């Protein structure tokens, strides 16, 4: 298992792989790896000759400094987990300086409006930070394919747009959400949930599933009101937003139209911990 923290080391390895025409699968992560990440890595292993996993808690995508400080950092156990999948995986775990130099700045991006919806509204600057770090990482790793979970569906759409804007050759692969048996979407932030919060958190996916079930027969307003009701009296979970949006541009809707793909999106606070989830509705 090779663990590099210098971009030059990765770039040197990548140059050799490219020379040998090896395909490079890339899984960018912020560490605190869980089964959802590992499923992405397994897919990358199945589809590529070489797999690189980055572990980098990217400061520029945190709009909340406490969230950045408290974000779990578990490099040693992450490496152990990855080595169980394959000892050939290359881990890139750089310092912020290695990625950003002396100025930790993000580039302001126009992702065609995708950045102004949902997460973009509630986390100002978040997607500029995501776009900036991924541009750096894609330049360093030069991947053939890069893998992202659909839990962050808006991020996935934005990364596809980023690649288009920056004219990068990488193919972006979206992978289905990995869930606990309770239905709770796996997230590195779940590690910080209390017992009570953990017991209540499955309500998020239960609600989404019911919305999907009722989507054909109920209006968007009724579904939204019903969702608000589900969280109204819950002491552990506070609903931040619930939206039904078009997959194409992530704009929320008040009325359904024929031949249009929709998803429901939700963000919930369990104390200080922010959980998001989404589901395809049709
Ligand atoms: O989804 C994440 O973990 C992060 O947003 C990513 C894609 C690794 C960029 O820092």
């Amino acid at each position: 298992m090779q663990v590099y923290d210098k971009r030059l080391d990765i770039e040197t390895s990548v140059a050799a792989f490219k020379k040998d025409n090896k395909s490079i699968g890339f899984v960018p992560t912020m560490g605190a790896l869980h089964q959802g990440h590992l499923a992405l890595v397994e897919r990358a292993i199945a589809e590529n000759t070489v797999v690189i996993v980055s572990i980098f808690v990217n400061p520029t995508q945190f709009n909340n400094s406490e969230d950045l400080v408290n974000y779990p950092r578990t490099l040693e156990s992450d490496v152990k987990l990855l080595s169980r999948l394959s000892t050939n995986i290359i881990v890139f775990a750089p310092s912020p300086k290695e990625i950003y130099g002396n100025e930790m700045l993000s580039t302001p991006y126009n992702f065609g409006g995708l950045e102004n919806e949902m997460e973009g509204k509630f986390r100002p600057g978040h997607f500029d930070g995501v776009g900036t770090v991924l541009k750096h990482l894609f330049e360093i790793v030069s991947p053939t394919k890069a893998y992202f979970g659909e839990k962050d569906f808006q991020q996935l759409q934005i990364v596809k747009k980023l690649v288009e804007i920056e004219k990068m050759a990488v193919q972006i692969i979206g992978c289905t959400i990995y869930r606990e048996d309770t239905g709770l979407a796996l997230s590195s932030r779940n590690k910080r949930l209390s017992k009570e919060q953990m017991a209540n958190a499955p309500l998020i996916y239960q609600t989404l599933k019911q919305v999907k079930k009722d989507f054909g027969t109920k209006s968007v307003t009724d579904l939204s009101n019903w969702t608000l009701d589900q969280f109204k009296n819950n002491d552990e979970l506070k609903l931040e937003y619930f939206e039904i949006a078009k997959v194409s541009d992530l704009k929320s809707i008040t009325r359904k139209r024929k031949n249009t793909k929709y998803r429901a999106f939700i963000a919930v606070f369990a104390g200080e911990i922010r959980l998001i989830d989404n589901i395809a509705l049709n």
Side-chain angles (χ1 to χ4, degrees):
M1 192 88 175
Q2 285 162 308
V3 183
Y4 295 125
D5 59 3
K6 297 280 176 282
R7 62 189 291 162
L8 195 62
D9 290 331
I10 291 284
E11 283 166 348
T12 308
S13 306
V14 163
F17 298 144
K18 293 270 162 188
K19 213 169 143 225
D20 293 344
N21 269 330
K22 290 186 172 160
S23 62
I24 301 174
F26 179 42
V27 184
T29 81
M30 299 208 296
L33 301 183
H34 50 66
Q35 197 50 48
H37 293 114
L38 299 183
L40 302 182
V41 176
E42 277 175 338
R43 178 142 177 215
I45 291 172
E47 295 181 358
N48 300 275
T49 333
V50 176
V51 171
I52 300 177
V53 176
S54 65
I55 296 181
F56 178 62
V57 181
N58 172 34
T60 65
Q61 72 185 74
F62 284 80
N63 57 311
N64 174 336
S65 52
E66 254 178 60
D67 193 23
L68 172 61
V69 171
N70 290 325
Y71 202 87
R73 289 161 173 85
T74 56
L75 181 61
E76 217 175 292
S77 58
D78 289 346
V79 170
K80 232 182 243 168
L81 280 176
L82 290 170
S83 65
R84 277 191 217 144
L85 296 186
S86 159
T87 48
N88 290 329
I89 296 167
I90 297 171
V91 175
F92 180 41
S95 65
K97 197 163 179 195
E98 196 63 22
I99 296 292
Y100 287 104
N102 288 328
E103 281 195 302
M104 206 138 58
L105 295 177
S106 55
T107 311
Y109 274 104
N110 176 343
F111 293 115
L114 291 174
E115 75 283 10
N116 299 326
E117 307 302 326
M118 300 180 289
E119 292 299 284
K121 258 187 235 157
F122 287 91
R123 302 184 68 188
H126 169 68
F127 288 121
D128 288 338
V130 171
T132 304
V133 76
L134 287 175
K135 176 161 188 275
H136 285 306
L137 290 170
F138 287 163
E139 277 169 357
I140 297 167
V141 172
S142 196
T144 319
K145 293 181 181 175
Y147 298 81
F148 295 84
E150 285 186 344
K151 182 174 77 67
D152 299 295
F153 191 84
Q154 187 173 8
Q155 169 174 277
L156 172 63
Q157 301 300 79
I158 279 179
V159 177
K160 287 179 184 164
K161 195 80 189 169
L162 171 78
V163 164
E164 200 184 297
I165 293 169
E166 300 287 3
K167 299 188 174 57
M168 297 181 123
V170 52
Q171 190 185 339
I172 302 303
I173 314 277
C175 303
T176 50
I177 301 173
Y178 209 96
R179 298 183 180 282
E180 307 260 14
D181 291 343
T182 59
L184 176 64
L186 261 58
S187 161
S188 302
R189 290 185 174 87
N190 293 356
K191 288 196 168 90
R192 294 175 53 208
L193 294 174
S194 71
K195 235 179 165 183
E196 291 75 25
Q197 290 165 341
M198 196 59 146
N200 279 273
L203 177 64
I204 299 169
Y205 184 53
Q206 282 160 19
T207 305
L208 289 180
K209 269 198 309 191
Q210 192 61 44
V211 167
K212 183 183 174 98
K213 225 175 179 179
D214 293 340
F215 185 66
T217 53
K218 290 196 177 150
S219 72
V220 174
T221 310
D222 284 352
L223 291 169
S224 301
N225 287 338
W226 178 82
T227 301
L228 287 179
D229 271 354
Q230 299 312 296
F231 290 90
K232 207 163 61 192
N233 297 319
N234 192 299
D235 290 338
E236 302 294 338
L237 306 176
K238 293 282 158 272
L239 184 65
E240 185 176 43
Y241 67 76
F242 169 79
E243 287 189 16
I244 293 179
K246 282 179 278 170
V247 169
S248 57
D249 58 9
L250 300 183
K251 291 215 181 306
S252 72
I253 57 151
T254 47
R255 213 182 285 167
K256 298 174 249 177
R257 292 193 194 287
K258 276 190 190 150
N259 304 321
T260 309
K261 288 264 174 238
Y262 297 107
R263 274 181 109 92
F265 296 85
I266 195 165
V268 168
F269 273 102
E272 299 293 306
I273 303 145
R274 197 165 173 280
L275 303 171
I276 60 171
D277 202 348
N278 68 88
I279 196 166
L281 295 175
N282 59 350

